[in-house]
Amino acid sequence: VATRFLRTPVEFDVATLDGQLVVRSTAAPSQPVLPMAGRPDRFHYDGVAAELQFERDATGQVVALVLHENGALRALRSPATP
């Protein structure tokens, strides 16, 4: 089950596949992201000059992601669907 993050015109789907975090966007196919040492909630793409950061609220829930690639693009987490 993927979690969707929305930011017009780009949407992101984040999921775990065989224990690996993968991210797909409307601008790119699914790609694994790797954790960055000493930086909780921050990941990098292998072979792409881009990083992904998850933002949490006061309760620790992930509420947004930020793609750092030629600037920053912030996408809000989509409400859960049944």
Side-chain angles (χ1 to χ4, degrees):
V1 173
T3 300
R4 179 156 288 171
F5 293 83
L6 307 172
R7 170 69 160 84
T8 304
V10 180
E11 293 182 4
F12 298 88
D13 289 320
V14 178
T16 303
L17 181 63
D18 296 327
Q20 172 67 56
L21 193 64
V22 293
V23 178
R24 184 193 66 76
S25 77
T26 52
S30 274
Q31 297 180 52
V33 290
L34 309 167
M36 297 180 68
R39 300 188 75 181
D41 295 328
R42 188 98 176 210
F43 296 80
H44 70 91
Y45 291 89
D46 190 29
V48 178
E51 296 178 4
L52 193 69
Q53 177 180 344
F54 293 98
E55 294 180 349
R56 296 179 183 271
D57 65 13
T59 67
Q61 294 285 16
V62 173
V63 295
L65 69 75
V66 180
L67 174 66
H68 298 275
E69 180 182 32
N70 300 320
L73 177 74
R74 185 171 187 263
L76 297 177
R77 185 177 185 163
S78 176
T81 55

